[in-house]
Amino acid sequence: MSVCKLIDRICLILYRAGGILLLAIMVCVVLDVAARAIFSATGGAIDLTFPGGIELVKYGLLFAILLAFPYAIDKGQLIVDLFTQKMSPTTIVRIDSFYTMVFGVFGGLLCWRFVDAWHNAQMSQELTQDLLIPLSNIYFLATIPLGLMALRGVSVGLAGLATGKEVSQ
């Protein structure tokens, strides 16, 4: 199995994990709203509320998006037909590949920024407000899908630029 195929498979697994995480976020929101409704309806006699629901949703959404990025980097690129209608298919693929490669570089820059944030959070021992999770752990975990996004974006972009053919998954 080639390295590109291995990266694609890992990215597909992360993409699916992001979808599962999105479902978990929805369950968390429903449970939080229901618990608050019960608390309100009983005048506080029944307290099923849990601290940190908003943080769970906030960081869950962050990771749902980050986990989807690596696989979706080359999907759904918009090409305006007005500018490309007279171009050859090879030129259109090369433009799309260049854009994908630049998006991969952007992912690399985001990864680098999260590595810097991870280092700073380790030095300051900063925690999340409600759940008291070390922010360094969150930032470190964020670097993984962003690094894969960079690898996949650059590899798919370079392959498309070199061949002039769309890279299939």
Side-chain angles (χ1 to χ4, degrees):
M1 177 186 306
S2 72
V3 175
C4 289
K5 292 289 182 189
L6 179 64
I7 291 171
D8 286 347
R9 285 190 180 184
I10 292 170
C11 292
L12 180 60
I13 290 168
L14 291 180
Y15 183 73
R16 290 178 177 160
I20 292 169
L21 189 57
L22 198 56
L23 291 173
I25 291 168
M26 291 188 308
V27 169
C28 182
V29 169
V30 169
L31 290 176
D32 192 39
V33 169
R36 290 174 191 270
I38 291 170
F39 182 79
S40 179
T42 61
I46 300 176
D47 186 7
L48 300 174
T49 59
F50 52 95
I54 293 172
E55 268 187 11
L56 286 174
V57 171
K58 180 170 102 174
Y59 292 115
L61 187 57
L62 169 71
F63 282 104
I65 291 168
L66 289 178
L67 292 174
F69 272 164
Y71 183 73
I73 193 169
D74 64 333
K75 314 270 186 285
Q77 307 296 344
L78 296 177
I79 296 177
V80 180
D81 289 342
L82 178 66
F83 299 111
T84 61
Q85 65 186 356
K86 293 185 180 183
M87 292 181 183
S88 70
T90 303
T91 304
I92 293 171
V93 167
R94 286 200 166 118
I95 290 171
D96 189 39
S97 297
F98 177 75
Y99 179 79
T100 301
M101 189 180 67
V102 170
F103 201 38
V105 170
F106 178 68
L109 292 172
L110 284 174
C111 181
W112 171 70
R113 180 60 189 107
F114 269 96
V115 167
D116 185 50
W118 168 62
H119 176 70
N120 291 337
Q122 274 188 319
M123 299 297 282
S124 67
Q125 299 293 313
E126 191 175 358
L127 304 172
T128 61
Q129 184 175 352
D130 296 332
L131 298 175
L132 303 177
I133 299 170
L135 279 174
S136 61
N137 295 349
I138 293 171
Y139 295 150
F140 175 76
L141 289 174
T143 63
I144 296 168
L146 287 170
L148 281 170
M149 176 181 150
L151 280 173
R152 187 155 187 274
V154 170
S155 65
V156 168
L158 286 175
L161 283 171
T163 63
K165 296 178 183 172
E166 197 169 321
V167 178
S168 61
Q169 307 308 322

